Amino acid sequence: MAEAHQAVAFQFTVTPDGIDLQLSHQALTEIYLSGMRSWKKRIVRVKNSVITGVYPASPSSWLFVVIAILATMYTRSDPSMGLIAKIQEHLPVSQSMSTQCQAVVSAVLFSTMLWLMLIFTMRLCLKQLLSYHRWMFEQHGKMSTTTKIWVALVRIFSGRKPLLYSYQGSLPNLPVPTIKDTVKRYLESVRPLMDDKEYERMTKLAAEFESSLGNRLQWYLKLKALWASNYVSDWWEEYVYLRGRGPIMVNSNYYGMDFLYVTPTPIQAARAGNSIHSFFLYRRKLNKEELKPWLLRSAVPCCSYQFERMFDTCRIPGILTDTVQHWQDSDYIVVYHKGRYFRLRVYQAGRLLSPREIEFQIQRILDDPSPPSKGEAKLGALTAGDRIPWAKARTKYFSSGVNKRSLDCIEKAAFFVTLDDEEQGMMGDDPAASLDRYAKSLLHGKCYDRWFDKSFTVVYYKNGKNGINAEHSWADAPVLAHVWEYTLANDSFQLGYNAEGHCKGDVDPSLPRPVKLSWEIPPECEEQIAQSLAVAQALADDVDFHVFSFQEFGKGKVKKCRVSPDGFIQMALQLAYFRERGTFCLTYEASMTRLFREGRTETVRSCTNESSAFIRALEGGEVRATDVCKCLFRVASEKHQLLYRLAMTGAGIDRHLFCLYVVSKYLGVESPFLKEVLSEPWRLSTSQTPIQQVELFDIENHPEYVSCGGGFGPVADDGYGVSYCVLGENMINFHISCKHSCPDTDAHKFGTQIRQALRDLLKLLSPNQTEPSKTEESQPKVKKEQ
């Protein structure tokens, strides 16, 4: 095998004259440099562990405390109140040590204990301060005196120059809401979805649960909250993601798009060169913890634990449940092109290959004429189909020999890359339809040309466009969006391309060629691949997608109406759904709980009594005063903001009910209330894609460099998945998904309803703003790609 030949560092031959030993200087140098790189990373990790371990203090503060204590001793004062003398009495030292030396050692030990106690106290104070959330419920722009004092104290106790994981030990644990509050909020959330008889029945079920089984389940949950870092996250990852036995393609994985209007280079290999290099630059920053922790209001830290498994991670299939496996940093990626898998090393002699060198290697793969081996071309379909057949096939056909070595290579790679032979993006005579095709391609591709189990797959298209597909169990979309924003910005604004569109720099032609992975796929395995592909293809064909960019107005005009942009969009979605279906539905909006340690997401139930009252008034057909509708809208919007803040501060509904249900299953008891709650379908599942690193993109001066955001598949068979991204002041991008098999859903018709709902809401709130503003008219026109 080529891999084995490249791994040989020396050869020897036995002759009559003795042993003829031949050493490969290049191979030994590579081994030495690889070892040095590994040890440097270990040293950096140890150093960072020390820095984050003593945060919010610094390692140098230990020396300051020691010097201060020794200085007070020489002034004949005892700051330890006799403790140093006690330590000296019990110090196990030899008789050769002088009394003065013993006193110094005792003072150093006392200083260290005092320093550790100060660190513990500072962390405890910071943890208590970060448990305060009243600031979030105050009116925007109006900060109370209490909150001002709180912000000042947080900054005092937060230390200086925090690393990415510095705040982890100081973040508060997610609180367990009371049964009474959760049940009350749940009943309030379902009231607009039920008639009086249904609501009365659900109220009785809830009351029975609250007074009997609920308290018993709550006791176990509180016990877990005392013991675990987060009482939700491990069960959420296990039962919502890893135990799902259906395909993760479409149902779980999500995607992110490239720039909407520009492609920095039309050369596929060049785009891959800059982008892959940028990913590894980001990984280097991640390993050194040089990324800044995400701070709300420039003071409140968010949990960063999800970043740990971004690279070198793969989901491993199992019969009952999958697992997420994370390895130490690998120095290669795996590239898929026209049915072949290649191992591409991105480090040579201990250094990261330049973008031009990566482009050179990618071009070698594109030019490689070798055909795929038998059964190799559609092997990736195993990751796209049902999980149990994939788990059985993995055990039977990939647990030994050449197949195991090749599969290990894919699973342990930094990430997966697909060189797609299609062209995608906003192009041609029908740019709207081309965006829809682009979204579907990123979500599922050909159902066999992505490795859906990898933490993420980067797709590079023939025309230079790119995109990303991510597995969901290891982290949520904002974490992946962080690296994607960095990569897009670094690719275009930092690295750039030469006049011919190639990556800048020179190439070392002696680079070893990418290694084609070898497979021995038996006919039985090929049959399983075909079955998985059939399942995945049926699922992909059923997905209806519509992506559009709404540019009539954006958050600029919405804010002038003194309304939250997110609340405005959620009301528009409720209005659009009501106009299409004539009823309301259970609506899921994802919010984050990263203010708490190991926090992930919580649900905001956007369909409320207030929103339904507003929409019925607006659509009632009777003459209603505009002022009344405005008033009802503001009440609905404020209620939505309240629910969002409650979800972020640990007072949501759904994660608590989910964990109570898990406990009931462990105890083997049935709850009619919980069973009905957990079986309710989310016919409208929504999420906002955040722009987190605004300093990377100057949208004002470069309006063409905007990403279209990302999206996901529908959650319910008869519902919609809606992702939206608010860009700049005058643009909102939408990604709508549903299923062709449902006669009641149509992504394009729903998109039309959303557009009209946005217009109608702005007209209601500010009739004078509906005409295009001067700033819009003077905005430079962006040339669309051909």
Side-chain angles (χ1 to χ4, degrees), residues 500-532:
E500 290 78 30
H502 293 283
C503 298
K504 298 175 182 177
D506 300 319
V507 177
D508 179 5
S510 66
L511 288 172
R513 296 184 68 88
V515 178
K516 184 177 181 296
L517 300 186
S518 300
W519 306 91
E520 294 175 358
I521 309 295
E524 301 83 15
C525 185
E526 285 189 77
E527 185 179 339
Q528 182 55 63
I529 292 171
Q531 290 175 7
S532 294

Side-chain angles (χ1 to χ4, degrees), residues 743-774:
D744 298 325
T745 58
D746 185 304
H748 289 76
K749 288 182 179 178
F750 193 54
T752 302
Q753 292 285 12
I754 291 173
R755 291 185 187 91
Q756 191 58 47
L758 290 168
R759 297 185 193 107
D760 291 346
L761 289 185
L762 184 70
K763 185 178 180 181
L764 171 71
L765 297 176
S766 183
N768 297 327
Q769 289 197 50
T770 54
E771 294 299 323
S773 63
K774 291 182 180 180

Side-chain angles (χ1 to χ4, degrees), residues 378-504:
K378 298 180 180 180
L379 179 64
L382 289 171
T383 68
D386 290 322
R387 303 305 291 174
I388 293 176
W390 170 210
K392 290 179 178 178
R394 188 179 187 275
T395 302
K396 188 173 182 180
Y397 306 114
F398 299 90
S399 58
S400 62
V402 63
N403 287 350
K404 184 181 189 306
R405 288 193 292 272
S406 295
L407 181 61
D408 282 348
C409 184
I410 292 175
E411 293 178 341
K412 294 179 181 179
F415 52 91
F416 193 82
V417 167
T418 295
L419 300 176
D420 205 304
D421 53 4
E422 295 180 347
E423 295 186 356
Q424 296 291 352
M426 181 183 280
M427 57 187 185
D429 297 330
D430 191 353
S434 67
L435 275 181
D436 299 344
R437 290 193 298 271
Y438 182 22
K440 280 180 66 67
S441 175
L442 286 175
L443 186 65
H444 54 68
K446 297 182 179 73
C447 301
Y448 57 79
D449 54 350
R450 321 277 188 255
W451 201 266
F452 293 101
D453 286 354
K454 282 300 288 181
S455 54
F456 62 89
T457 295
V458 191
V459 184
Y460 299 97
Y461 293 101
K462 192 176 180 180
N463 60 340
K465 222 48 178 181
N466 69 2
I468 195 166
N469 178 289
E471 200 277 315
H472 208 328
S473 65
W474 64 274
D476 300 308
V479 175
L480 188 79
H482 199 274
V483 65
W484 191 235
E485 287 174 8
Y486 173 87
T487 303
L488 289 177
N490 200 61
D491 170 17
S492 298
F493 300 118
Q494 300 300 322
L495 299 176
Y497 301 88
N498 62 24
E500 290 78 30
H502 293 283
C503 298
K504 298 175 182 177

Side-chain angles (χ1 to χ4, degrees), residues 270-452:
R271 190 75 196 280
N274 264 5
S275 178
I276 291 169
H277 183 82
S278 298
F279 274 112
F280 279 93
L281 290 180
Y282 185 93
R283 191 180 75 168
R284 183 185 295 169
K285 286 177 174 286
L286 187 61
N287 289 339
K288 292 182 178 181
E289 298 187 37
E290 293 174 351
L291 300 172
K292 295 179 181 178
W294 189 24
L295 302 178
L296 294 181
R297 301 278 181 97
S298 302
V300 187
C302 293
C303 181
S304 301
Y305 99 101
Q306 293 182 56
F307 284 85
E308 295 173 4
R309 299 183 292 180
M310 182 178 291
F311 295 92
D312 319 288
T313 298
C314 192
R315 177 172 174 158
I316 308 299
I319 300 298
L320 295 177
T321 181
D322 294 352
T323 55
V324 177
Q325 188 73 43
H326 176 69
W327 291 271
Q328 292 297 325
D329 295 345
S330 58
D331 61 356
Y332 68 91
I333 56 175
V334 170
V335 181
Y336 177 92
H337 177 243
K338 290 188 175 179
R340 294 93 40 87
Y341 293 84
F342 294 85
R343 174 177 177 153
L344 171 56
R345 290 190 178 275
V346 292
Y347 282 88
Q348 174 73 9
R351 68 171 180 85
L352 176 63
L353 296 184
S354 70
R356 185 71 183 89
E357 289 171 326
I358 297 175
E359 177 190 351
F360 176 70
Q361 295 290 68
I362 292 290
Q363 192 61 51
R364 280 177 158 179
I365 294 174
L366 290 169
D367 296 338
D368 190 312
S370 61
S373 58
K374 190 171 181 293
E376 179 185 13
K378 298 180 180 180
L379 179 64
L382 289 171
T383 68
D386 290 322
R387 303 305 291 174
I388 293 176
W390 170 210
K392 290 179 178 178
R394 188 179 187 275
T395 302
K396 188 173 182 180
Y397 306 114
F398 299 90
S399 58
S400 62
V402 63
N403 287 350
K404 184 181 189 306
R405 288 193 292 272
S406 295
L407 181 61
D408 282 348
C409 184
I410 292 175
E411 293 178 341
K412 294 179 181 179
F415 52 91
F416 193 82
V417 167
T418 295
L419 300 176
D420 205 304
D421 53 4
E422 295 180 347
E423 295 186 356
Q424 296 291 352
M426 181 183 280
M427 57 187 185
D429 297 330
D430 191 353
S434 67
L435 275 181
D436 299 344
R437 290 193 298 271
Y438 182 22
K440 280 180 66 67
S441 175
L442 286 175
L443 186 65
H444 54 68
K446 297 182 179 73
C447 301
Y448 57 79
D449 54 350
R450 321 277 188 255
W451 201 266
F452 293 101

Side-chain angles (χ1 to χ4, degrees), residues 109 142 158 169 173 194 235 252 261 452 465 554 602 641 691:
L109 289 173
K142 294 183 179 179
S158 287
N173 290 0
M194 297 179 174
W235 285 350
S252 179
Y261 296 119
F452 293 101
K465 222 48 178 181
E602 177 58 276
Q641 285 298 98
I691 302 298

